Amino acid sequence: AYAGIVRHVGRVSGRAYETPVSPVPTDDGFAIALVYGNRTSWLRNVLASGQATLVTEGETWEVDQPELVPMGTVERWFTPGDVRSFKRMRVVDALRLHRVRAVQG
């Protein structure tokens, strides 16, 4: 299993939040299948701010340029088993994030 954390700031409250996600690396960043849809608070926060911090596989990354994309455009980065599961669950959207730089811990 793979898991990560998206650190983001509330678009209304200004509070810092951490949300568990399952990111996969892409050529220039990460993709996250939106298994709970495209109206979740964490997603809306990241889209509104245009940036976040992603912790995955023991590394921390600043990410930006969040983009809501059809799942089909990022399927190639997920395992075949994941893709089958996403289709069964009717996951239609994903979030693409551009990797800015590694954060030193």
Side-chain angles (χ1 to χ4, degrees):
Y2 47 90
I5 298 287
V6 170
R7 294 180 179 150
H8 54 96
V9 175
R11 64 196 175 285
V12 175
S13 69
R15 289 182 47 202
Y17 293 97
E18 293 186 349
T19 302
V21 294
S22 296
V24 294
T26 65
D27 293 337
D28 64 352
F30 300 92
I32 301 169
L34 300 176
V35 296
Y36 295 108
N38 62 16
R39 300 291 300 155
T40 59
S41 289
W42 76 265
L43 174 63
R44 291 165 52 191
N45 290 342
V46 172
L47 290 171
S49 71
Q51 63 185 9
T53 301
L54 181 66
V55 181
T56 183
E57 296 187 9
E59 295 183 315
T60 303
W61 296 93
E62 286 184 12
V63 292
D64 69 1
Q65 300 175 26
E67 180 183 12
L68 189 61
V69 298
M71 190 64 204
T73 65
V74 296
E75 281 182 348
R76 67 183 176 270
W77 288 297
F78 291 90
T79 68
D82 285 342
V83 172
R84 284 191 301 275
S85 293
F86 297 149
K87 287 181 180 178
R88 278 195 306 275
M89 293 186 296
R90 295 185 172 97
V91 175
V92 296
D93 294 315
L95 178 67
R96 288 210 55 190
L97 296 164
H98 177 259
R99 188 173 34 243
V100 176
R101 68 179 180 92
V103 176
Q104 301 300 318

